[in-house]
Amino acid sequence: MPFSPAFHPRLLNALRHYNRNRWLADVGAGVTVGIVAPPLAMAFAIASGLKPEAGLWTAIIAGFLISALGGTNVQIGGPAGAFIVIVYGIVERYGLANLLIATACAGVLLVLLGLFRLGTLVRFVPVSIVIGFTNGIAVLIALSQVKDWLGLSIDRMPGNFFSQIDTLARHLGSFNPYAFGLGTACVAGLFLWPRLTMTGSPMMQVLERHTVRTFARVPAPVVALVTLSLLSWALKFPVETLGTRFGGIPQALPVFALPDFSWDTVRLLVTPTVTIALLGAIESLLCARVADQLATDPHHQKHDPNQELVALGVANLVVPFFGGMPATGTIARTVTNLRAGATSPVAGMVHAVTLAVIVLVAAPLALHIPLAVLAGILLSVAWNMGEWHEFLRLRHFTNHYRLLMLGTFLLTVVFDLTVAVEAGLFMACALFVRRMGEQFRVERLPEPPLPAGDAALPPGPRPVAAWRLRGALFFGAAAKIDPILQAVEAGPPGMDVVLDARDLVVLDTTGLDALAQVLKAVAARGGRLLVQNAPEQPRSLMERSGFAARLAAQGLEDLPV
């Protein structure tokens, strides 16, 4: 794909026909999402093994940059649940400083992917692999929150699945019923809140219409966070809070700092860098596609995947210098933005400003937020993140699809996302090759399909055998030429062979070598080989490789078409 230095953020298009009504709609949507963002950003950071302010300032800085520079109208960027497992593993294995370096390097890689217009390559990842690792990440997110949900006294959770299970089992004796109650109430509230304010619900019938409409606009995570934090503070529940674990959130702007950088370190961080870049690109572009499908605003334009990758890269390059974590497009906040009436990237920028104001003004109040409530929010995120119904639909798909999806899911849970995606893509390629190879067929014809009006083979008493080639003759199907070789070796001396290639859709060099073996076998028996009706791609390869000239050297008149 050609290099294109074109840099055209979607914001420039959106502002051309901007007006007061769209401004008011974007401000309302941005403020709404800005109110939703704090509990999610803090929860993602804490679950990743970082301080809560890392998630908050990532949501602010990356959210602003992704909206201002991106290629979508309504996408909201920031920390995402999909990164929890990845970031936690990197911090545990390489340390926080190296996470910052890997994130910045991933940002550079994403910018290059966008500039070289490689955004469409993300679509080549099979949907079965995406569903598999998404569900696997959801399981790991839920497992990582069991500690705070149950209030267990564990200093630090290990990074792998079986060690986490063992650690949780060994510390069940420290179960805290108050934490469990708060976490369970949070999950129940997040599930029930949207249903309580639905049209026709008992609450709708009790309260006045305008009151309910205003009430229903308050996001469920905010309601759960505020009410349960007040309950815990008022009743003095003995549970761990943000204040007891982290000492609260600094009520100040983040400090710009350069992490220790060396090329030796970068070489060690190739795998984490590629993992962050790959996952960020997949999550962001999938989120943009979802937004395109849900958008009903007449001003909405389909996303530009390459511009979105450039913006995502810039955001991930910048946030590490302020102690942030990897960022990507976030489906939950993007959908909230859409439903709140957003029409342009201005809404995402307002969301970032709103969140910054909340952090700078209300940071001291975060001291009293129970970690069990944040765990409940993440348990809900994990449940909504997973596409669990796809497991039930597996019976309708082929064994290939089942193997890819279940294999990626299990590898994500048991090992890590990098192994899962690498193995998944390898299996996808291997199964694709096998399936395409199965589609190639060699059919014996009763008589040679000679073209009308053309004497392709000289007349005479020589025996003739004919076959038709159907499908793609490539390295995965070359062995299917063997029946022709066997028939030639078993046939009478001097037998001519005709191959009708009108249904040969693709020919690669391995397939061409198989045809060359047929030519060699036919010539060794004193016969001649004719390849008829070859389409453009096979014919071009035959001519460029010299195979057509070898056929013509036999003295036949119609070669190789």
Side-chain angles (χ1 to χ4, degrees):
M1 296 184 181
F3 171 80
S4 174
F7 181 78
H8 191 79
R10 184 57 53 84
L11 179 64
L12 299 180
N13 292 345
L15 294 179
R16 287 176 182 170
H17 306 289
Y18 209 59
N19 54 45
R20 182 174 180 274
N21 291 335
R22 292 184 66 188
W23 160 253
L24 293 176
D26 286 338
V27 169
V31 171
T32 300
V33 182
I35 295 173
V36 174
L40 294 173
M42 288 188 293
F44 292 150
I46 293 170
S48 301
L50 306 174
K51 293 183 178 181
E53 57 265 29
L56 290 170
W57 286 108
T58 297
I60 294 168
I61 298 171
F64 188 91
L65 291 174
I66 289 174
S67 294
L69 305 178
T72 65
N73 278 42
V74 295
Q75 178 149 284
I76 301 296
F83 275 121
I84 290 175
V85 179
I86 300 301
V87 173
Y88 191 92
I90 294 174
V91 171
E92 184 185 49
R93 186 176 304 175
Y94 300 99
L96 176 59
N98 288 330
L99 167 68
L100 301 179
I101 294 174
T103 303
C105 292
V108 174
L109 181 58
L110 286 166
V111 169
L112 293 176
L113 289 175
L115 292 179
F116 281 94
R117 309 190 66 78
L118 299 177
T120 54
L121 290 182
V122 175
R123 297 181 181 178
F124 293 170
V125 180
V127 66
S128 54
I129 293 179
V130 175
I131 293 173
F133 77 66
T134 300
N135 286 1
I137 290 173
V139 168
L140 292 175
I141 291 173
L143 182 63
S144 70
Q145 297 311 297
V146 172
K147 164 185 172 290
D148 289 330
W149 179 38
L150 301 181
L152 304 182
S153 299
I154 302 173
D155 293 333
R156 186 170 181 83
M157 289 286 288
N160 65 80
F161 177 75
F162 293 111
S163 296
Q164 288 180 344
I165 295 291
D166 178 66
T167 301
L168 292 172
R170 286 189 290 105
H171 288 82
L172 285 178
S174 59
F175 171 73
N176 185 331
Y178 297 97
F180 177 71
L182 288 171
T184 303
C186 180
V187 173
L190 294 175
F191 176 78
L192 294 175
W193 181 256
R195 292 159 179 80
L196 290 175
T197 53
M198 289 173 60
T199 302
S201 68
M203 182 177 286
M204 283 288 289
Q205 297 171 7
V206 172
L207 299 176
E208 295 180 4
R209 183 176 301 174
H210 70 277
T211 304
V212 172
R213 189 177 294 118
T214 303
F215 205 50
R217 287 177 179 172
V218 182
V222 176
V223 175
L225 191 72
V226 173
T227 56
L228 294 174
S229 296
L230 287 174
L231 178 66
S232 175
W233 174 76
L235 299 180
K236 294 181 170 48
F237 285 163
V239 295
E240 195 172 15
T241 65
L242 283 179
T244 59
R245 180 179 292 185
F246 300 103
I249 298 173
Q251 196 175 7
L253 295 173
V255 178
F256 180 88
L258 292 173
D260 294 333
F261 179 88
S262 70
W263 287 111
D264 292 336
T265 303
V266 171
R267 286 200 298 268
L268 296 175
L269 297 175
V270 171
T271 299
T273 296
V274 173
T275 302
I276 292 172
L278 177 62
L279 182 57
I282 292 174
E283 284 288 312
S284 188
L285 297 185
L286 284 178
C287 178
R289 290 177 63 184
V290 170
D292 288 342
Q293 294 167 4
L294 296 178
T296 58
D297 183 80
H299 300 98
H300 186 84
Q301 295 177 291
K302 297 294 184 183
H303 73 280
D304 178 353
N306 299 305
Q307 183 63 40
E308 189 64 19
L309 289 185
V310 171
L312 188 63
V314 171
N316 280 282
L317 178 60
V318 172
V319 291
F321 300 122
F322 297 93
M325 59 186 291
T328 184
T330 58
I331 292 179
R333 277 160 279 172
T334 298
V335 172
T336 301
N337 193 36
L338 266 172
R339 291 175 177 170
T343 69
S344 77
V346 172
M349 299 163 67
V350 172
H351 135 267
V353 174
T354 302
L355 182 52
V357 172
I358 292 174
V359 171
L360 295 176
V361 173
L365 300 178
L367 287 171
H368 307 292
I369 297 176
L371 295 180
V373 175
L374 294 179
I377 292 175
L378 281 184
L379 287 173
S380 177
V381 168
W383 174 258
N384 293 327
M385 178 181 176
E387 299 186 48
W388 313 112
H389 61 280
E390 292 294 337
F391 287 125
L392 301 177
R393 297 178 62 229
L394 281 176
R395 64 182 183 275
H396 301 301
F397 295 99
T398 63
N399 288 332
H400 288 184
Y401 184 94
R402 296 170 189 166
L403 177 61
L404 281 179
M405 179 176 160
L406 293 177
T408 306
F409 171 76
L410 292 174
L411 287 172
T412 300
V413 172
V414 176
F415 294 99
D416 60 50
L417 179 64
T418 306
V419 174
V421 172
E422 290 174 351
L425 290 175
F426 174 79
M427 287 190 294
C429 293
L431 293 175
F432 177 78
V433 168
R434 178 183 175 186
R435 179 174 295 178
M436 291 300 296
E438 291 173 348
Q439 300 302 312
F440 179 77
R441 300 193 305 278
V442 173
E443 299 176 357
R444 184 73 181 258
L445 299 178
E447 57 185 27
L450 299 179
D454 286 330
L457 290 172
R462 300 166 63 91
V464 179
W467 284 266
R468 176 164 292 160
L469 308 181
R470 295 184 182 274
L473 180 54
F474 69 116
F475 64 89
K480 290 194 172 184
I481 291 293
D482 289 348
I484 299 178
L485 291 172
Q486 295 168 2
V488 169
E489 294 172 356
M495 181 178 71
D496 292 332
V497 173
V498 177
L499 299 181
D500 185 359
R502 71 184 66 192
D503 296 323
L504 182 63
V505 294
V506 172
L507 178 68
D508 75 349
T509 54
T510 304
L512 184 65
D513 182 71
L515 294 181
Q517 296 301 318
V518 173
L519 174 61
K520 181 178 179 181
V522 170
R525 304 277 295 178
R528 295 160 296 181
L529 174 65
L530 170 67
V531 179
Q532 281 186 333
N533 307 317
E536 181 179 354
Q537 188 275 329
R539 182 193 312 134
S540 173
L541 180 58
M542 291 180 190
E543 292 172 349
R544 287 183 286 109
S545 65
F547 183 73
R550 292 174 59 189
L551 294 176
Q554 300 173 106
L556 302 181
E557 299 177 9
D558 185 21
L559 293 168
V561 297

